[in-house]
Amino acid sequence: MSGRGVWLRARARLRRFPALLAGCGEQAAAYGRCVAAAAAGTAELRRDACLEEFRALQDCFARAVGPAAG
C-alpha cells in the first residue's frame, strides 16, 4: 500500500472542511462572545463557563462533517 494515497485522501478531506463548517458561524460567534464575556475584566475564565455554547458548536461541526469524515 502506498503512503501517497493516504496523504491524498487526507488532503482532500481537509480541503472540504471550510465549506462544511461555514454553516457553523452563528454557533462559533456565540461561543466566542461567551468566552470573551467570561474572561472580561479581572474575571478568570473557568472551565465549563461556556459549556452550552461549546456543545452547540461541537454539534454543528459533527452534523456538518457527518459520519463520512473518518
Side-chain angles (χ1 to χ4, degrees):
M1 175 182 233
S2 170
R4 186 169 191 261
V6 171
W7 289 111
L8 290 174
R9 287 190 306 275
R11 215 175 284 144
R13 278 195 312 268
L14 288 173
R15 278 192 207 111
R16 289 192 318 257
F17 266 47
L20 291 172
L21 303 181
C24 297
E26 184 178 323
Q27 292 84 352
Y31 179 62
R33 282 191 302 271
C34 181
V35 169
T42 59
E44 191 174 308
L45 185 59
R46 299 265 181 202
R47 180 183 176 136
D48 296 340
C50 299
L51 184 60
E52 183 179 331
E53 292 83 355
F54 175 76
R55 286 200 174 139
L57 181 58
Q58 187 178 32
D59 289 344
C60 184
F61 284 170
R63 281 190 311 272
V65 174

